[in-house]
Amino acid sequence: MSEIIEVTPKKRVLSCIQPTGIPTLGNYLGALKNWKNMQDEFECIYAVADLHAITVRQEPAALRKNIYSMFALLLALGIDPEKSIMFIQSHVPEHAQLSWLLSCYTQFGELSRMTQFKDKSAKHADNVNAGLFTYPVLMAADILLYKPDFVPVGADQKQHLEIARDIACRFNGIYGDVFTVPEAYIPKIGARVMSLQDPTKKMSKSDENLNSFVGMLDSRDDIIRKFKRAVTDSEACVRLSEDKPGVSNLIGIYSAVTGKTAEEVEREFDGKGYGEFKLAVGEAVADALNPIKEKYDSVISDKAYLEQLYKTGAENAERIARKTYFKAMKKVGYVL
Ligand code: TYM
């Protein structure tokens, strides 16, 4: 007698990263590390969000290089092109096309409330362009085209994910079931890695103080040196506490890379000084990033291989994106 095996389809995951320089330890712990780990359980789609990058002025040669190296870095991270779809956003025109459609279902008021828009327009006051304002709509299009169940991101993207959900619900409310309303997938540890020099600020690759962030391709010596200089406090006690933002950030980073809980970290460094603790964090981070750096160095020069991967990736992505885009267009009343 044959046994009936029920096959449940895998849930789908989608996420993107901007190619605006070498990603930081924050990008890694908040998002990229999960991208790799989710590949076995989920059907994963990952993109280099290059259209988003020009909301801030980019030097053309640098942008080209950054798109290329971000794609190579995804491979180095362990994203497997046989298992997951990986592509470059601008290669799939439906992202920009759906973005226009969705912008007509997004209110000016809700975009005005986005904290990232407020922060970035303050930082780039000479270039508060319309793209910076409508950025969350393009991000909603990136997501909704692929009908993902989960979107793995760091805590700073939560508000953007909420607006994507709101737009999806609004559109579905008018036209029926077109988009899947996705859930944010935010890690418990590492969702908000803070600056090593000012732990009240998010770690960011655009920070002018180069000691404030660790780049994913930094050398071992640089990583250890940056952690040695990390700002702590005068209590000399490794303890997680809201009034100890520097030490708490380091505990979070150490937990995220070693898999130890915060209590285990506190116990490990009980009675030990900050010097020893900071060195241990630096070494653990360098150990975690080293295999990625080695793999990156081995793939970055193989242009033909990368080109073949991003072309195939875009074809596979577009097959999914086109269906959703045409369904949305048809519902709105366009002649197809
Ligand atoms: P981006 O390129 O700024 O960052 C990529 C991912 O890294 C996370 N992240 C952090 N996590 C923890 N601590 C930090 N200090 C830290 N800094 C960054 C971000 O939350 C993000 O998950 N708008 C997005 C890119 C994007 C996107 C999308 C994401 C475009 N379309 C569709 C998801 C789905 C962004 O600028 O991320």
Side-chain angles (χ1 to χ4, degrees):
M1 212 172 73
S2 65
E3 204 183 327
I4 298 172
I5 303 169
E6 212 177 294
V7 184
T8 30
K10 281 184 175 178
K11 297 230 179 214
R12 188 178 283 168
V13 159
L14 173 290
S15 200
C16 309
I17 182 164
Q18 290 197 66
T20 44
I22 300 302
T24 68
L25 180 66
N27 296 123
Y28 178 63
L29 297 179
L32 299 175
K33 190 165 168 259
N34 279 330
W35 290 19
K36 173 181 188 261
N37 296 339
M38 292 175 104
Q39 289 182 109
D40 293 326
E41 197 181 334
F42 301 100
E43 181 194 341
C44 298
I45 305 174
Y46 299 123
V48 175
D50 57 345
L51 294 174
H52 282 88
I54 61 162
T55 51
V56 172
R57 196 74 71 233
Q58 302 285 334
E59 205 275 299
L63 178 62
R64 204 167 294 124
K65 185 166 173 275
N66 284 336
I67 294 170
Y68 206 73
S69 53
M70 185 60 83
F71 191 79
L73 196 68
L74 296 187
L75 268 185
L77 261 176
I79 307 298
D80 179 352
E82 300 287 321
K83 273 192 208 158
S84 305
I85 296 179
M86 49 190 283
F87 70 103
I88 296 171
Q89 180 193 30
S90 63
H91 293 180
V92 179
E94 285 79 0
H95 288 247
Q97 292 172 323
L98 184 66
S99 176
W100 169 253
L101 205 71
L102 296 182
S103 70
C104 301
Y105 298 81
T106 309
Q107 297 303 305
F108 183 89
E110 56 188 342
L111 288 175
S112 314
R113 286 193 290 276
M114 295 291 113
T115 53
Q116 189 166 301
F117 171 69
K118 290 185 204 162
D119 293 349
K120 283 207 174 168
S121 45
K123 203 166 159 198
H124 303 278
D126 57 335
N127 183 22
V128 185
N129 58 74
L132 195 63
F133 188 66
T134 57
Y135 179 114
V137 186
L138 179 58
M139 180 161 160
D142 298 339
I143 298 170
L144 301 179
L145 279 173
Y146 298 93
K147 303 187 168 191
D149 299 283
F150 300 108
V151 181
V153 281
D156 64 326
Q157 295 299 317
K158 197 165 172 247
Q159 200 185 26
H160 286 162
L161 210 80
E162 274 160 14
I163 196 172
R165 287 167 54 92
D166 290 346
I167 297 169
C169 290
R170 187 172 303 140
F171 197 94
N172 287 351
I174 305 170
Y175 301 108
D177 195 16
V178 178
F179 300 122
T180 300
V181 182
E183 299 284 338
Y185 185 100
I186 297 176
K188 287 207 175 70
I189 303 173
R192 201 171 168 79
V193 177
M194 308 309 276
S195 153
L196 298 183
Q197 292 297 313
D198 176 359
T200 60
K201 262 180 26 191
K202 181 183 88 164
M203 180 181 283
S204 161
K205 55 188 167 248
S206 57
D207 202 313
E208 275 155 22
N209 184 343
L210 300 182
N211 287 321
S212 71
F213 63 90
V214 169
M216 282 184 67
L217 301 176
D218 278 358
S219 69
R220 186 177 185 84
D221 286 352
D222 277 347
I223 295 174
I224 291 174
R225 181 178 50 76
K226 288 180 187 179
F227 277 102
K228 277 188 182 163
R229 291 193 184 167
V231 166
T232 46
D233 53 56
S234 55
E235 194 198 20
C237 173
V238 177
R239 181 171 59 84
L240 194 70
S241 164
E242 254 176 44
D243 58 5
K244 291 167 70 71
V247 170
S248 299
N249 187 36
L250 296 178
I251 293 176
I253 292 171
Y254 191 66
S255 297
V257 291
T258 59
K260 295 175 186 172
T261 64
E263 296 76 51
E264 285 168 340
V265 180
E266 287 175 349
R267 237 175 288 131
E268 185 178 339
F269 293 97
D270 188 21
K272 295 183 180 155
Y274 284 160
E276 196 173 332
F277 173 52
K278 292 201 267 189
L279 179 64
V281 183
E283 285 178 337
V285 168
D287 288 345
L289 295 181
N290 186 50
I292 301 172
K293 186 170 154 54
E294 281 181 356
K295 179 89 193 287
Y296 174 86
D297 291 340
S298 78
V299 294
I300 188 66
S301 50
D302 195 345
K303 288 207 165 172
Y305 176 57
L306 291 175
E307 187 179 323
Q308 174 233 317
L309 287 184
Y310 65 64
K311 284 193 167 154
T312 312
E315 279 165 19
N316 291 335
E318 194 172 11
R319 213 165 291 132
I320 302 171
R322 199 183 297 128
K323 265 198 199 160
T324 318
Y325 175 62
F326 281 128
K327 185 168 181 188
M329 289 287 279
K330 200 170 165 191
K331 291 278 187 183
V332 172
Y334 284 100
V335 177
L336 302 178

